[in-house]
Amino acid sequence: MAKRDVVLTYEDYAALPADGCRYEIHDGKLSVTPAPSPQHQMISRNLFIVLHQHVRTRGLGEVLYAPLDVILTESAIVQPDIVYLDRARLGAISRRGIEGPPTLVVEVLSPSTTLTDRSTKWRLYARHGVPFYWLVDPEARAIEALVLGPAGYSLAVRASGDEPLALPPFPDLALVPAALWP
């Protein structure tokens, strides 16, 4: 008898318990991680404030904060730490979450998520056409800004230190990476 893999969908995902774990479905397979640490949340909050203020004052779209479902397909549901939707993608906001790829996905690395963020989600976001992907690394105190091209993601900027700089897709953003760390 041949073994058949079970492919989970959004319907299965919506039925999961609210138990403090972070559930995602990667190509039909369940991924479970513990709730983020306080340090992770402080970094995520600090970055969200900068991005939200930048996007709001310029009328560029919307920045949203986890937990929030990003439904890439019925069998690919993720909860990035931060998502940005430019004005052209605002129609992706639904009652269930974000339906389709946002403009930017931000993941703050944690010991329990680094491998997934740098491999599984990296490929998932690229395959589903997320144009920009930032990896925030608290250990290195750096942000890697990736841009999607025909061959997948490539590193556009690796940001660290006290100097303000812009990261794609925000050419006039004055982000000071050192200000993110608690």
Side-chain angles (χ1 to χ4, degrees):
M1 188 183 252
K3 180 185 172 200
R4 292 183 12 186
D5 288 337
V6 173
V7 176
L8 299 175
T9 66
Y10 182 82
E11 185 178 339
D12 300 312
Y13 173 80
L16 291 168
D19 58 6
C21 289
R22 190 180 229 177
Y23 293 102
E24 296 181 324
I25 297 180
H26 304 157
D27 291 329
K29 294 180 181 151
L30 184 64
S31 173
V32 184
T33 57
S37 71
Q39 179 190 20
H40 175 285
Q41 291 300 84
M42 286 183 263
I43 293 166
S44 184
R45 177 208 54 215
N46 293 346
L47 181 55
F48 172 80
I49 290 168
V50 171
L51 291 178
H52 177 70
Q53 185 174 34
H54 180 81
V55 167
R56 185 172 180 211
T57 58
R58 288 162 179 78
L60 300 175
E62 192 68 59
V63 180
L64 300 167
Y65 190 80
L68 173 71
D69 293 338
V70 174
I71 306 159
L72 299 170
T73 67
E74 286 299 307
S75 62
I77 302 102
V78 292
Q79 287 192 13
D81 293 303
I82 299 172
V83 298
Y84 160 64
L85 295 107
D86 62 36
R87 286 191 307 259
R89 293 178 190 246
L90 290 177
I93 299 172
S94 76
R95 294 183 73 197
R96 298 192 314 172
I98 307 301
E99 309 244 5
T103 307
L104 167 68
V105 168
V106 178
E107 297 285 5
V108 178
L109 303 178
S110 298
S112 64
T113 66
T114 296
L115 182 59
T116 299
D117 292 339
R118 289 194 176 278
S119 61
T120 305
K121 285 178 141 181
W122 180 304
R123 290 188 303 273
L124 196 63
Y125 293 145
R127 190 170 63 252
H128 291 285
V130 176
F132 302 96
Y133 183 25
W134 292 4
L135 292 166
V136 180
D137 186 342
E139 292 295 316
R141 294 183 175 244
I143 304 169
E144 297 172 20
L146 306 160
V147 177
L148 185 61
Y153 285 116
S154 61
L155 182 64
V157 178
R158 188 170 196 283
S160 62
D162 296 318
E163 294 298 318
L165 49 86
L167 300 173
F170 307 109
D172 59 344
L173 177 67
L175 175 66
V176 177
L180 302 179
W181 321 123

